[in-house]
Amino acid sequence: MTDAAHRTPIVRLAPAKLNLTLALVGRRDDGLHDLHSVLVPLALHDILTVAPAGTTGGDTLHVAGRDAGPLDDNLVLRAISAARAAVGEGPGRPPTPPLAARLEKRIPVAAGLGGGSSDAAAAIDAALDAWGATDALDPARRQAVAASVGSDAPFFLAGGPALVEGRGDQVTRLTGIRGHPGILLVTPAVAVRTPDVFAIFDGSHGAGGGDGSVRMTSAHLAQELGNGLSAADLVARAGVLASANDLLASAALVAPGLVQVRRALTRLLGRPIGLSGSGPTLWTLYPSLGEAEGAAVTVENAIADGTVPSIGDGRASIIPTTIRTGQEGAST
Ligand code: C5P
């Protein structure tokens, strides 16, 4: 790469994720949990732009769009620092000058959609590119840097649906979704802190994991997605997937109104409603984007007339999107 190319802003799309399954296998010595989760990236994305900032000062970040909280806590800046530390300094190492990052935040924040981790994975990739240092870290080292920033970040380096195990650092790509299943996301405006949800789970399960049924569903889906599954086949499994999340009951305790919203959406749409990660985002599967868009209008109207309760202190985000299968062109 030339010096001129280094100065060209690097643009990365940072997709949201959805947990089609989330099994908690057991508590680890480091206090985190071993997981077994089938994750898919979504067409919904943030946009990260990174360029060299000049010669002095530190890295900077400007966020537009949704409120992403304090800049000091933002995973983009932490990811750039972690990538710089991993590249290292000295003879033979590429220079890692300060970067100016701009993040357009479209993914609901703290919603169970992995936006922060995805921004972090995109930042690692973009920073290495901006420094002309893409060869400085092999894939395993990149994965380790990503895992040090956020448990979901290694998944986003995989570029498609994947089985995620361990604390989130063991990622196996699953190549078998055919077509573009539609997804309707409904994110109520309630704060659900991930550590709180895990803590409630621990309170009722001790050091153990879930009861094993979610783990079985998750293993079965991973096998099926390894072999090949059409959008229609995936939708046909929505009933079992919608309850394949070991954090469902704990999330409902952190955000009590979530149960009523989920029940109202089930009645309204006549479809199973799942929870992504530790919530509060609820999801419904459709065979296509068009059907998810139609359902979004139905939900908007139902929230407006009170059929679906509004909880928290703002409007729910209602977003129709699609699953990214990893087979799309890089520009979509
Ligand atoms: O790594 P990250 O900051 O995304 O994790 C947020 C929280 O989720 C952790 O503090 C922990 O409470 C919980 N967690 C967990 N086991 C994992 C991943 C996350 O207990 N494998």
Side-chain angles (χ1 to χ4, degrees):
M1 184 176 288
T2 66
D3 282 351
H6 295 182
R7 284 193 288 274
T8 308
I10 311 289
V11 181
R12 290 285 183 276
L13 303 190
K17 61 84 174 165
L18 192 76
N19 300 79
L20 288 176
T21 61
L22 176 55
L24 269 56
V25 177
R27 191 121 185 240
R28 300 156 48 100
D29 291 343
D30 60 9
L32 295 173
H33 296 77
D34 278 320
L35 312 174
H36 192 287
S37 181
V38 174
L39 282 166
V40 289
L42 302 179
L44 171 68
H45 60 265
D46 293 338
I47 303 173
L48 179 71
T49 308
V50 162
T55 48
T56 56
D59 302 314
T60 60
L61 173 65
H62 173 77
V63 181
R66 292 176 184 271
D67 182 0
L71 284 186
D72 285 350
D73 295 344
N74 197 288
L75 295 190
V76 167
L77 291 175
R78 283 201 230 159
I80 292 173
S81 298
R84 180 178 288 116
V87 169
E89 286 176 31
R93 310 306 300 166
T96 55
L99 298 176
R102 184 183 184 283
L103 180 65
E104 188 178 322
K105 197 76 205 150
R106 299 178 174 188
I107 304 171
V109 176
L113 294 171
S117 286
S118 186
D119 298 341
I124 293 167
D125 202 58
L128 292 174
D129 208 348
W131 294 325
T134 44
D135 297 335
L137 302 183
D138 64 24
R141 195 85 176 84
R142 268 185 208 221
Q143 290 277 110
V145 173
S148 75
V149 182
S151 295
D152 283 330
F155 159 72
F156 289 105
L157 293 178
L163 167 64
V164 171
E165 296 172 278
R167 58 159 286 213
D169 52 342
Q170 295 167 32
V171 181
T172 310
R173 269 284 265 126
L174 300 169
T175 52
I177 299 183
R178 295 189 303 272
H180 298 281
I183 296 270
L184 178 64
L185 305 172
V186 179
T187 309
V190 283
V192 175
R193 290 186 62 252
T194 303
D196 294 349
V197 178
F198 276 94
I200 288 188
F201 180 89
D202 289 339
S204 49
H205 293 80
D211 67 13
S213 64
V214 173
R215 170 80 171 74
M216 273 172 62
T217 300
S218 191
H220 191 221
L221 182 70
Q223 189 182 24
E224 289 193 308
L225 290 192
N227 294 337
L229 210 56
S230 68
D233 288 338
L234 191 63
V235 172
R237 285 152 182 74
V240 65
L241 299 179
S243 53
N245 184 335
D246 275 328
L247 291 177
L248 251 177
S250 307
L253 286 173
V254 172
L258 206 53
V259 171
Q260 281 74 36
V261 177
R262 185 168 179 239
R263 203 173 289 147
L265 287 173
T266 309
R267 261 198 308 268
L268 178 73
L269 300 173
R271 285 176 176 270
I273 308 289
L275 179 79
S276 187
S278 55
T281 298
L282 298 163
W283 57 260
T284 323
L285 269 169
Y286 289 91
S288 68
L289 175 62
E291 283 157 278
E293 287 172 337
V297 175
T298 305
V299 173
E300 295 272 8
N301 292 337
I303 288 179
D305 71 16
T307 314
V308 172
S310 288
I311 60 170
D313 48 354
R315 288 176 59 83
S317 295
I318 300 161
I319 303 174
T321 184
T322 53
I323 291 177
R324 286 184 65 99
T325 60
Q327 324 294 330
E328 301 87 355
S331 62
T332 53

